[in-house]
Amino acid sequence: MKRFLRDNGLGLVFGLGFLLTLAGQALAGHADYNDQQVSYGAEPVSLGEYLTSSSFGVDVAENWQSEYLQFALYAVGTVWLVQRGSPESKKPEDIGPESEADQLIGAHARAGSPRWAKTGGWRTALYSSSLGLVMGSIFLVAWTAQSIAGWAAYNADQLSQRQDPVSWGDYLGAAEFWNRTLQNWQSELLAVGSFAVLAIFLRQRGSPESKRVGDEHAVTADSG
Amino acid sequence: MKDARLLCAVYSLLIGLGLAYVIALGVLHR
């Protein structure tokens, strides 16, 4: 048990943190929703009603999509883009998907390599891009979920203000949808870009996300 | 690796259920 906790601390702590903060979001979102209801002269709703509302759904999904977009872009972008001196980057001479030997693919695979790294053909091609594909797919589904829940919440607001509901297609062009979307994208891009650049000069001793404390600023290392 | 596969399955389930739940909320309230 102790060994299980130690070996899986990152996944366990972040997963538990996710559940706790989601519960916190549910409670705070419920209180905020009811504050607005009261200010409109409407009846407050129960926690159960709030958790099954499209308003809660869109608030969850809009943040999910941007996080998965960030990781999908990072996984794919760092194949082709480098940042000299950053521990988040590979060396400028390694730009691109690299050779089969570098990537332990096909004839270069080792005994313990994943099966699809050895087979070649479409399986190896698919497996070679699986991280970006899965992150990108989760992003697309989450963004779609945001658009559907956001559309329902938007129409509930429209109806409460005695205005006509809009179609899903119209909602995809609505300022509200793009405001929700872009306010999340901008923060992710700023955080990732600044992390890659600040990590050239700053250090976090012991973290694989950082270079070693004594590494030169110009060294482009891929781990500390 | 058995533990890691379990964690991977739990995360996949959380993400899948979460996304399905939000889509269902949107569809039901549309």
Side-chain angles (χ1 to χ4, degrees), chain A residues 121-143:
Chain A
W122 67 271
R123 289 182 184 85
T124 298
L126 184 65
Y127 187 61
S128 297
S129 298
S130 52
L131 187 59
L133 283 172
V134 167
M135 289 285 157
S137 300
I138 297 174
F139 155 67
L140 287 176
V141 175
W143 198 23

Side-chain angles (χ1 to χ4, degrees), chain A residues 4 11 15 51-53 57 68 145, chain B residues 3 11 15 19 21-23 25 29:
Chain A
F4 170 74
L51 294 181
T52 51
S53 72
Y68 283 97
Chain B
D3 293 344
Y11 267 105
I15 295 164
L19 292 174
Y21 181 68
V22 173
I23 291 172
L25 286 181
H29 290 289

Side-chain angles (χ1 to χ4, degrees), chain A residues 22 25-26 28-30 32-33 36 50 53-66 145-146 149-150 153 171 176 180 183-184, chain B residues 22 25:
Chain A
L22 183 65
Q25 183 198 336
H30 177 228
D32 180 44
Y33 187 82
Q36 286 176 33
Y50 173 67
S53 72
S54 48
S55 180
F56 173 67
V58 67
D59 285 350
V60 170
E62 73 172 56
N63 287 281
W64 282 30
Q65 58 89 358
S66 66
Q146 179 204 324
Y171 180 68
E176 202 253 7
R180 280 185 180 276
Q183 66 179 274
N184 284 284
Chain B
V22 173
L25 286 181

Side-chain angles (χ1 to χ4, degrees), chain A residues 9 21 24 34-35 65 76-77 85 108 128 132 149 180 187 189 194 214 216:
Chain A
T21 50
N34 275 342
D35 284 347
Q65 58 89 358
V76 178
H108 305 280
S128 297
R180 280 185 180 276
S187 61
L189 293 168
S194 61
E216 290 174 35

